[in-house]
């Protein structure tokens, strides 16, 4: 069995870790590292019977993830101190939000940049306040800068001078040029307050954003991790409130994200064994391409299907912009290579 | 990958894969005397690969990767594949290891107590450690010293020592030629030749040593010893640690303890003989 399938089976709880041959761990650990999920796996298998060196490595990973989580939440606090005094409200997105709300998927989850969502009419003011508080533009060329400002759903990334951490300030969750336009005002106004006092998206919107990020906006890089987020959050939200799947359907329709959300649900059933309610439990033959893309890794952590990877890259751009614009964009990018 | 090898250095089990046989064969010769446990899962993966399939044969150049990739790392010609492999092993440890605080420092031990030498490239720390390791000291390593955040002990990482430029002839004159790797001439770091540590140093690589002396050598100038305060040693070592920040509070606690409990000195020396004499002198005065 391939390492990536073993890895997914271990996360899903379909395989007994004690039954793996010692050297099977090489591939599993290699895949987990390349998916930035080694600490996630370490948490999932915290109680398992493991070879001693694997157990020690996993303990290291859990300790490192605890430090990284604290640092990520400190970044959120820094953003709060920069923006809150001026009355700018923001919602935490993705990893920082999962950590702030102490969700199951945040156990060991890598948190890269700090992602926040502000109202569109606050975005210039938010940028100025962050610049004043020590963030600065990552050096980029004028084309990229203009591109972000005109067409993207976020400011060009900012990095903090002394802490060296990035912040992505969003005004919505998909590029402006995308075929789908989520209701950013509804995302902001229906946000909820997490246990730690930060605003986060409400459960259905959070799942919508997770699916949008994975399937409507990207080329499925980090897909296994995003899918794990989606799987664990929908499982826990459904357990906490029986009407969750219906609410998710309503919000997905509001944001124009039905197709991404339904596909994410089917993939989390296929890979991680999610139990879906009847309206969601369909079969779509095109899912096979997504599964193939998610499983395309060898036990050295390398992508095994470069053509498929390329196809998903092109797809992500195709979704993001109309054809004429895409052609112009790729031409400009190609000339600058 | 087509060619591969497993190597254990100190606490790290490496899995190294390569598109070419040459670097793997060279590693095999250099690490033949290291303990082998082929059933032990790896903690770090190293990949040596061609950027494009035809570059395996046509002007072959070795890219380094693995668990962690530095995007702007330049490839090396296949004739320097061994250097690429060593750099890649160091890179994976520098970026990935979390069990210990990593100091970019060489170290030697005697009677279970360690002298840790930290300094920039060119300060002579590798050469001093190699020469001490040929005498009455156990070589712990020339690149990384690992500090246990719990107990404060130092652990060895005795990779093959990279001798550079003038140090090559100086050490080669003292050791059996079978302990030297091939001469890699004209690398980005100058001439490089690897020295295989003595077998007793390899056999003892899992034995901890208590830090007894922190030295910051500087090659050049007349012989001088300068006591260093805790604050300066602390700051210098934060700069010499690749995972101090990532360890968070545990790194701070380990480093604070290290500089509080271990006397620190800067030493200047015009030649290796003087450098070795200064180390012995400080050892006798503070630790011996």
């Amino acid at each position: 069995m391939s390492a990536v399938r073993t890895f997914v089976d271990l996360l899903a709880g379909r395989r007994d870790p004690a039954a793996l041959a010692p050297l099977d761990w090489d591939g599993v650990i290699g895949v987990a590292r390349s998916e930035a999920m080694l600490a996630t796996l370490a948490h999932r298998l915290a109680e398992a019977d493991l070879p001693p060196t694997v157990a020690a490595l996993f303990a290291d990973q859990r300790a490192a993830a605890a430090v990284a989580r604290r640092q990520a939440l400190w970044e959120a606090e820094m953003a709060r101190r920069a923006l809150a005094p001026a009355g700018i409200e923001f919602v935490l997105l993705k990893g920082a939000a999962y950590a702030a709300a102490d969700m199951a998927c945040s156990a060991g989850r890598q948190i890269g940049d700090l992602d926040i969502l502000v109202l569109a009419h606050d975005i210039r003011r938010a940028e100025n306040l962050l610049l004043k508080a020590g963030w600065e533009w990552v050096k980029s060329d004028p084309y990229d800068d203009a591109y972000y400002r005109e067409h993207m759903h976020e400011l060009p990334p900012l990095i903090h001078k002394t802490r060296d951490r990035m912040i992505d300030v969003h005004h919505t969750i998909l590029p402006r040029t995308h075929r789908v336009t989520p209701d950013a005002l509804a995302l902001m106004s229906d946000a909820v307050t997490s246990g730690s006092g930060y605003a986060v998206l409400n459960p259905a919107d959070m799942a919508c954003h997770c699916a949008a990020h994975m399937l409507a906006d990207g080329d499925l890089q980090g897909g296994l991790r995003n899918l794990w987020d989606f799987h664990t959050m929908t499982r826990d939200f459904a357990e906490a409130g029986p009407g969750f799947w219906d609410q998710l359907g309503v919000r997905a329709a509001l944001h124009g994200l039905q197709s991404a959300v339904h596909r994410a649900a089917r993939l989390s059933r296929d890979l991680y064994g999610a139990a879906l309610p009847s309206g969601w439990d369909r079969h779509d033959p095109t899912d096979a391409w997504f599964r193939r893309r998610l499983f395309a890794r060898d036990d050295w952590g390398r992508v095994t299907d470069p053509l498929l990877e390329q196809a998903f890259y092109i797809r992500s751009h195709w979704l993001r912009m109309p054809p004429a614009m895409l052609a112009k964009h790729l031409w400009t990018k190609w000339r600058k290579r | 990958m087509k060619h591969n090898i497993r190597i254990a250095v100190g606490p790290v089990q490496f899995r190294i894969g390569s598109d070419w046989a040459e670097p793997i064969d060279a590693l095999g010769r250099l690490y033949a005397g290291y303990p082998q446990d082929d059933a032990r899962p790896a903690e770090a993966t190293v990949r040596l690969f061609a950027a494009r399939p035809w570059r395996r044969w046509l002007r072959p150049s070795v890219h380094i990767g693995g668990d962690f990739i530095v995007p702007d790392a330049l490839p090396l010609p296949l004739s320097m594949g061994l250097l690429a492999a060593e750099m890649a092993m160091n890179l994976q440890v520098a970026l990935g290891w979390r069990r210990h605080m990593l100091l970019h420092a060489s170290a030697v031990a005697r009677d279970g107590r360690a002298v840790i030498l930290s300094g920039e490239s060119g300060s002579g720390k590798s050469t001093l450690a190699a020469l001490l390791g040929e005498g009455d000291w156990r070589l712990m390593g020339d690149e990384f010293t690992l500090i246990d955040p719990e107990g404060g002990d130092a652990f060895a990482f005795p990779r093959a020592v990279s001798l550079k430029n003038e140090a090559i002839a100086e050490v080669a004159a003292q050791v059996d030629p079978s302990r030297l790797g091939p001469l890699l001439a004209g690398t980005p770091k100058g001439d490089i030749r690897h020295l295989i540590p003595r077998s007793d140093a390899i056999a003892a690589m899992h034995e901890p040593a208590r830090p007894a002396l922190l030295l910051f050598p500087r090659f050049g100038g007349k012989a001088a010893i300068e006591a260093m305060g805790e604050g300066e040693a602390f700051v210098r070592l934060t700069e010499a640690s690749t995972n101090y920040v990532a360890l968070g509070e545990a790194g701070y606690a380990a480093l604070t303890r290290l500089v509080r409990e271990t006397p620190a000195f800067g030493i200047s020396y015009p030649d290796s003989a003087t450098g070795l004499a200064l180390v012995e002198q400080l050892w006798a005065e503070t630790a011996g």
Side-chain angles (χ1 to χ4, degrees), chain A residues 215-261:
Chain A
L215 292 168
D217 190 26
D219 54 6
L220 254 74
Q221 294 265 12
L224 286 178
R225 186 180 67 182
N226 293 322
L227 189 63
W228 179 251
D229 292 340
F230 185 89
H231 166 61
T232 56
M233 75 171 69
T234 49
R235 178 198 65 196
D236 294 349
F237 290 148
E239 202 184 293
F244 171 74
W245 285 101
D246 292 337
Q247 289 155 22
L248 180 57
V250 170
R251 291 304 273 199
L254 172 74
H255 297 304
L257 288 166
Q258 301 100 315
S259 142
V261 168

Side-chain angles (χ1 to χ4, degrees), chain A residues 22-23 25-27 29-30 33 51 53-54 56-57 60-61 64 67 70-71 299-300 302, chain B residues 1 6 15-17 38-43 45-47 67-68 99 245-249:
Chain A
L23 288 193
W25 287 102
D26 278 355
I29 291 167
R33 283 220 206 247
T53 58
V54 174
L57 179 70
D60 296 342
Q61 297 299 317
V67 174
R70 200 189 298 180
Q71 284 170 339
D299 72 349
W300 290 85
R302 297 176 298 180
Chain B
M1 298 187 81
R6 310 174 74 79
R15 165 177 74 140
I16 301 156
D38 284 336
R40 177 182 158 190
E43 273 116 353
T45 289
V46 169
R47 290 189 292 118
D67 299 329
F68 299 89
R99 200 164 308 160
V245 172
L247 287 175
E249 203 176 339

Side-chain angles (χ1 to χ4, degrees), chain A residues 313-329:
Chain A
Y313 178 77
I314 293 167
R315 170 187 177 272
S316 74
H317 276 70
W318 177 254
L319 292 171
R320 278 174 156 216
M321 34 186 127
M325 192 181 154
L326 177 58
K328 188 164 160 262
H329 173 68

Side-chain angles (χ1 to χ4, degrees), chain A residues 155-188:
Chain A
L155 290 173
L158 295 161
I159 194 160
H160 197 274
K161 261 180 241 173
T162 51
R163 292 194 305 278
D164 206 29
R165 303 275 305 204
M166 293 245 260
I167 186 167
D168 287 328
V169 185
H170 301 246
H171 51 81
T172 182
I173 56 171
L174 282 178
R176 289 181 210 256
T177 50
H178 201 280
R179 283 143 214 261
V180 171
T181 309
D183 186 341
L185 198 59
L187 291 171
M188 281 296 290

Side-chain angles (χ1 to χ4, degrees), chain B residues 170-225:
Chain B
E170 196 170 352
V171 177
Q174 297 195 23
V175 304
D176 187 310
S178 67
R179 286 181 48 215
L180 292 169
L183 176 70
L184 305 167
T187 78
K189 297 176 176 179
D191 293 351
I192 288 184
R193 197 161 183 191
H194 290 98
L195 168 72
I196 301 168
R198 280 196 334 217
S199 56
D200 51 340
I202 296 168
M205 72 183 185
H206 295 299
E207 288 172 19
R210 197 77 200 157
L213 198 51
L214 278 170
L215 297 182
F216 297 86
R218 195 165 63 86
F219 180 69
K222 23 182 237 261
I225 294 176

Side-chain angles (χ1 to χ4, degrees), chain A residues 191-209:
Chain A
V192 297
T193 306
S194 70
S196 56
Y198 288 101
V200 298
L201 295 175
N202 71 50
D205 281 355
M206 197 184 266
C208 285
H209 180 217

